[in-house]
Amino acid sequence: QVHVIESGGGLVQPGGSLRLSCAASGRTSGSSGVYPLAWFRRAPGKEREFVASISGLGTRTDYSDSVKGRFTISRGGVMNTVFLQMNSLESEDTARYYCAAGLRGSYSSESAWDYWGQGTQVTVSS
């Protein structure tokens, strides 16, 4: 059982930057320590899609093609804390961003993650 909570969302102009934070606590079925974490997002009228993920120790990161080169995922100094640095934001990035924990399969699939936060809204607009 893992509790996940996101923060850092807000309103930003196109081309601007924003940093999201996620804190997860508790244990997964496979680990009581550090574990992989991911960011997904859901835009209005769209299904939730994969954004980025990071391994338990932060040595591996993966990104969707749409954010590669603009977004950076990293682990914080506190156990199971993760950040998503978003640069060169576009209106298409407007979505509610969700943090996920409890990886059981392919990281880019929603169904592979067992625990989800409530999400934090990111709006890119002039």
Side-chain angles (χ1 to χ4, degrees):
Q1 51 186 5
V2 178
H3 178 66
V4 183
I5 186 167
E6 310 94 334
S7 63
L11 176 65
V12 64
Q13 293 183 314
S17 298
L18 204 61
R19 190 180 78 160
L20 306 183
S21 300
C22 171
S25 60
R27 65 177 70 181
T28 67
S29 60
S31 176
S32 297
V34 297
Y35 36 78
L37 295 166
W39 288 97
F40 285 73
R41 67 185 181 186
R42 184 169 61 210
K46 306 281 188 177
E47 294 184 354
R48 190 152 56 184
E49 64 176 353
F50 171 76
V51 176
S53 65
I54 190 166
S55 61
L57 294 179
T59 55
R60 173 177 175 171
T61 58
D62 293 278
Y63 299 90
S64 68
D65 290 338
S66 62
V67 307
K68 196 172 300 180
R70 298 189 297 120
F71 291 10
T72 301
I73 188 171
S74 61
R75 300 192 75 96
V78 179
M79 184 177 291
N80 293 316
T81 297
V82 66
F83 303 103
L84 184 67
Q85 178 65 47
M86 305 183 293
N87 298 325
S88 301
L89 284 163
E90 306 165 353
S91 59
E92 292 77 14
D93 295 314
T94 295
R96 191 164 186 85
Y97 285 71
Y98 299 86
C99 184
L103 181 63
R104 292 182 292 105
S106 299
Y107 62 85
S108 61
S109 175
E110 283 187 87
S111 63
W113 301 88
D114 286 336
Y115 308 101
W116 296 82
Q118 299 269 13
T120 184
Q121 180 67 36
V122 172
T123 302
V124 184
S125 176
S126 298

